[in-house]
């Protein structure tokens, strides 16, 4: 049995309705339990297994404009596999393939943000490589989206490249954003362990 949380990102064009249908088809029950006022949001919903020991929490992240499912509880890995079998999910190799096949900036930026959501589950070398590549994209808007994604991961491994970007990027706003991410998130003030 596993109690590790697993994060899943439904592949586009998945909308809430198709996700809810898939979760329901797996025998999950939408929770009707009242949440505290701070937790109430039209952008999240809890789906429980019959024994209420494992949950699939659907979340619409407004900052990143990405929907995902956080599977938590005793059988999180088992339930995550069941959800993957019922609903197509993104993973880093699929995101990389999508941006290679379609160099549209909107597709690229969406893929970068989806990678950030997936990366929140823990360090992933493939996600690191993908985001590092995005930080070097010729389009400054793509680089800024990649900086947002890096800030979401919080991975200090990005520090050397952010130092370089904060000093050498040709666009002032990209340099400033890289410095903010580096100093506020990857190396917060008073953190003696950040060197």
């Amino acid at each position: 049995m596993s109690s590790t949380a697993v994060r899943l990102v439904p592949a586009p064009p998945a909308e809430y309705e198709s996700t809810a249908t898939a979760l329901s088809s797996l025998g999950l029950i939408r929770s009707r339990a009242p949440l505290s006022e701070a937790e109430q949001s039209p952008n999240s919903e809890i789906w429980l297994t019959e024994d209420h020991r494992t949950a699939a929490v659907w979340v619409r992240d407004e900052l990143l404009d990405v929907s995902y499912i956080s599977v938590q509880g005793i059988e999180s890995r088992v339930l995550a596999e069941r959800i993957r079998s019922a609903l197509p999910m993104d993973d880093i190799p699929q995101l990389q393939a999508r941006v290679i096949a379609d160099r549209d900036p909107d597709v690229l930026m969406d893929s970068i943000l989806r990678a950030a959501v997936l990366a929140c589950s823990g360090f992933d070398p493939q996600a690191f490589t993908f985001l590092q590549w995005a930080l070097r994209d010729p389009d400054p808007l793509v680089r800024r989206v990649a900086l947002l994604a890096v800030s979401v991961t919080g991975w200090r491994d990005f520090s050397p490249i952010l130092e370089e970007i904060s000093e050498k990027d040709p666009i002032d706003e990209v340099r400033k954003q890289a410095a903010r991410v580096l100093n506020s998130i990857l190396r917060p003030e008073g953190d003696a362990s950040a060197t």
Side-chain angles (χ1 to χ4, degrees), residues 84-174:
R84 280 188 186 101
S85 71
L87 194 63
M89 295 291 162
D90 275 335
D91 60 21
I92 299 301
Q94 288 170 322
L95 294 171
Q96 290 171 323
R98 190 175 298 144
V99 300
I100 290 168
D102 187 348
R103 259 310 279 181
D104 178 87
D106 290 335
V107 170
L108 176 55
M109 289 184 282
D110 179 63
S111 295
I112 292 167
L113 296 174
R114 288 170 170 278
V117 170
L118 287 169
C120 287
S121 294
F123 185 81
D124 177 337
Q126 289 180 316
F128 178 79
T129 300
F130 180 62
L131 294 176
Q132 189 175 30
W133 169 81
L135 287 167
R136 300 209 184 273
D137 192 84
D139 184 336
L141 183 56
V142 170
R143 293 195 304 276
R144 293 193 67 198
V145 169
L147 286 165
L148 172 61
V150 166
S151 73
V152 170
T153 71
W155 296 341
R156 292 184 180 191
D157 300 69
F158 285 112
S159 295
I161 191 170
L162 265 57
E163 286 174 3
E164 179 185 334
I165 292 169
S166 69
E167 295 170 4
K168 298 180 181 177
D169 195 275
I171 306 298
D172 185 52
E173 193 50 46
V174 175

Side-chain angles (χ1 to χ4, degrees), residues 1 27-29 47-55 72-75 79 82:
M1 294 202 303
L28 298 177
I29 304 158
W47 291 77
L48 299 166
T49 56
E50 191 174 305
D51 64 5
H52 291 217
R53 297 177 68 181
T54 308
Q72 306 165 18
I74 300 298
E75 295 289 335
L79 181 55
R82 290 180 59 217

